[in-house]
Amino acid sequence: MPETPEPPKPPDPSRPRTDLRHGALGTADISFFVVSAAAPLTVMAGVAPVAILLGGIGAPAGYLLAGLTLAVFAVGFTTMSRHVRSAGAFYAYIARGLGKRVGIGAALLALVGYNGMEIGVYGLLGTTTADTARSLAGLDVPWLPVSLAGLGLVWYGGFRSIDFGAKLLGVLLVAETGILVLLAAGVLLEGGAHGLSAGSFAPGAVLVPGTAAVLAFAFAAFTGFESTVIYRREARDPDRTIPRATYIAVAFLGLFYAFIVWTVIQAFGSGEVITAATEDPAGLFFTAITTYVGPWAADLMHVFIVTSVIASLLAFHNAINRYALALAEEGVLPAALGRIHPRHGSPYLAGLAQTVLGAVIVLGFALAGADPYQQLLLWVNTPGMIGLMALMLLAAIAVPVYFRRVRHGEGPWRTLVAPVTAAVLLAVAICLVVSKVGLFTMASTTVNTLLVALVPAVFLAGLVLAQRLKTRRPEVYARFAEEPANPRADAQLQAQADPQTHPQTHPQGEEPPCPLPTPSSPEPESAPSTPPAPRPAR
């Protein structure tokens, strides 16, 4: 008579943590991360005046069009997230659709792109803090100590647990969006300068030559929304949480941006707003909120712009750490970067490495006498932005290719029509951004050419790295972006990580399934029992 196996012992909560905090993030938490990365207040007060100056009163429609494009992209993107469980997100999707070589190229591009989007913003932190100190207290604060202090603050936020970061970002996001809602309420209650008008959305206002430039700025304003999938391992019910957070982020940003820009146009009047933006673009929002709410609100806006930048830095820092963690677990980056803090459940060594890299670049620009805004921010940020848009394009292309190879129950809208449409629209968006790159960098043609060329150069370097891995470390290349075979690994890992939140339950006398030793890309219980057809290594 066979022995009845003993019931499994629950994991000891006192044992050191060896993985991320599974089940720590809900839909709202992930939405806070990705919307904070976009820095809505900074985008509105710092960039929207230029969009109005270039596109006229039709500028709000540009943000709606960009949001619609990215919503179409999100259809295939989130569908892919239900079938590819890797923590590598962008690079994993691209590898599964377009092959391992392209996936490794995308992984390197993702690392450089996200680092560019974050590290350049330390220059913005220094300048906005200096401007705020000057405006509120008449103090002359040097930018470099502020940027270095910001590096330490952001490192600490990433070092702590992911739910701590989500709560902090939630508070900061409410503050920065709240001040913009206050401005909008003041304008609406007063009826604007000459009454409220919907002329911004009329075809005659939208179909003007400057709309192309507005679209370029609008696409840049959404950067970071796609990072929802990076938090898959820490999400509660990721098959539902990730798509919901993605759609919420895109819808909120698109509607909120368009609404706020429209209200500022109403604040000055359709005939006067261009003149106001020309005379003082940096002060457009501050003048509006002073007029319709009061000087105290303008002071708050100065402070909240600084916290908005900090929130954006922390959101990107967390995203970078999780990419580095995934690549360390893949064997592409040093294994040490894959270590998890035993108490906080954070990829703390990846965060430390990213902070050191940021400090080196910030200090390098400072020693060279570079301007923190025009050079550190714009020159580092711009190739990062273009790189992330290129990743979205590759991911959109990868979706229909992947679903042609595997058995699935998804409809053609999600697996073919939406991703192909998104690929075309994203290709157009990238062309717009590249053609208007001088508006982003304020640099010479030579500098602009080098900044744009950096993106394909990094991708090509990734292809070279892929070939080296295939030749010298074939085992690493072979398992890159692969899925584990155990479809119940996700539930097992969540139960091990947090037994109180995810208790393990098994029928009496049934042996619990053995969890996989590598947690990088577990499949949930809802995964199809029939695995995808094998594809040849590339």
Side-chain angles (χ1 to χ4, degrees):
M1 182 175 181
E3 296 183 4
T4 302
E6 297 182 3
K9 296 180 180 180
D12 183 359
S14 65
R15 294 180 61 187
R17 183 179 295 276
T18 59
D19 197 16
L20 299 174
R21 296 172 67 90
H22 291 280
L25 301 178
T27 300
D29 300 319
I30 298 174
S31 299
F32 288 151
F33 274 105
V34 299
V35 175
S36 296
L41 177 56
T42 304
V43 165
M44 290 289 93
V47 181
V50 181
I52 294 172
L53 184 60
L54 295 171
I57 65 169
Y63 291 95
L64 286 180
L65 292 173
L68 287 172
T69 297
L70 296 177
V72 174
F73 165 77
V75 172
F77 187 61
T78 55
T79 301
M80 197 79 163
S81 73
R82 294 200 294 267
H83 294 260
V84 179
R85 269 74 188 184
S86 171
F90 262 143
Y91 78 71
Y93 298 177
I94 294 167
R96 298 297 294 278
L98 304 180
K100 295 179 189 292
R101 286 189 183 87
V102 181
I104 294 172
L108 188 59
L109 187 57
L111 276 180
V112 173
Y114 277 105
N115 271 288
M117 288 302 300
E118 187 208 12
I119 294 172
V121 177
Y122 284 107
L124 180 62
L125 176 64
T127 57
T128 54
T129 303
D131 290 343
T132 298
R134 191 178 304 111
S135 298
L136 300 185
L139 299 176
D140 188 10
V141 176
W143 72 270
L144 182 59
V146 173
S147 297
L148 294 178
L151 278 158
L153 180 63
V154 170
W155 165 80
Y156 179 75
F159 171 76
R160 290 291 303 272
S161 62
I162 192 69
D163 43 350
F164 168 83
K167 291 181 176 66
L168 176 60
L169 288 177
V171 172
L172 298 180
L173 183 62
V174 167
E176 66 175 299
T177 55
I179 198 69
L180 289 171
V181 170
L182 186 63
L183 166 60
V187 174
L188 294 178
L189 288 174
E190 292 289 333
H194 311 297
L196 303 179
S197 167
S200 292
F201 305 99
V206 177
L207 301 177
V208 296
T211 300
V214 174
L215 283 170
F217 279 104
F219 278 107
F222 286 82
T223 305
F225 90 92
E226 74 293 332
S227 59
T228 51
V229 294
I230 297 173
Y231 300 102
R232 177 177 183 85
R233 284 164 61 176
E234 294 153 292
R236 294 192 290 272
D237 192 6
D239 283 353
R240 295 183 180 181
T241 302
I242 298 301
R244 286 175 181 171
T246 305
Y247 287 119
I248 288 172
V250 174
F252 173 80
L253 290 173
L255 295 172
F256 189 70
Y257 286 153
F259 172 65
I260 295 299
V261 175
W262 174 78
T263 57
V264 169
I265 292 171
Q266 305 310 302
F268 291 90
S270 299
E272 294 87 353
V273 69
I274 304 298
T275 302
T278 302
E279 292 176 351
D280 186 16
L284 191 72
F285 274 68
F286 297 101
T287 301
I289 201 168
T290 299
T291 302
Y292 287 90
V293 182
W296 63 269
D299 292 342
L300 272 182
M301 183 175 282
H302 276 290
V303 174
F304 289 160
I305 283 181
V306 175
T307 61
S308 169
V309 174
I310 293 173
S312 177
L313 287 166
L314 179 57
F316 274 113
H317 179 73
N318 278 299
I320 294 164
N321 295 349
R322 279 145 186 82
Y323 260 114
L325 170 67
L327 287 169
E329 291 176 339
E330 299 271 18
V332 176
L333 291 182
L337 297 180
R339 293 182 186 173
I340 305 295
H341 193 273
R343 177 182 174 188
H344 298 303
S346 62
Y348 69 107
L349 287 183
L352 181 61
Q354 200 280 327
T355 302
V356 170
L357 175 63
V360 168
I361 294 176
V362 168
L363 288 170
F365 272 80
L367 292 174
D371 183 87
Y373 183 88
Q374 293 190 1
Q375 292 168 316
L376 175 54
L377 171 66
L378 300 182
W379 291 11
V380 177
N381 237 204
T382 300
M385 174 189 65
I386 297 173
L388 294 187
M389 292 182 73
L391 285 172
M392 283 193 276
L393 174 60
L394 288 173
I397 296 171
V399 173
V401 178
Y402 170 79
F403 282 109
R404 283 188 60 192
R405 296 175 178 167
V406 301
R407 295 174 58 185
H408 61 86
E410 308 288 354
W413 163 248
R414 292 181 173 275
T415 61
L416 180 63
V417 178
V420 170
T421 303
V424 173
L425 294 174
L426 285 167
V428 172
I430 291 171
C431 291
L432 284 174
V433 170
V434 171
S435 67
K436 305 293 182 181
V437 70
L439 297 175
F440 293 95
T441 65
M442 296 188 288
S444 66
T445 301
T446 301
V447 171
N448 289 336
T449 302
L450 290 174
L451 293 177
V452 172
L454 184 62
V455 174
V458 169
F459 181 70
L460 289 174
L463 297 182
V464 173
L465 172 62
Q467 187 58 41
R468 287 174 62 87
L469 287 174
K470 186 176 183 180
T471 303
R472 301 185 180 185
R473 301 175 65 193
E475 72 287 352
V476 171
Y477 184 85
R479 70 170 184 260
F480 181 79
E482 289 296 322
E483 300 284 289
N486 188 348
R488 300 184 66 181
D490 201 7
Q492 287 294 304
L493 286 168
Q494 291 200 10
Q496 285 187 333
D498 193 346
Q500 294 180 351
T501 306
H502 304 279
Q504 288 181 298
T505 57
H506 307 286
Q508 185 173 0
E510 180 180 325
E511 186 76 16
C514 179
L516 292 177
T518 302
S520 63
S521 20
E523 288 199 19
E525 294 186 46
S526 60
S529 58
T530 304
R535 54 183 179 76
R538 298 189 174 195

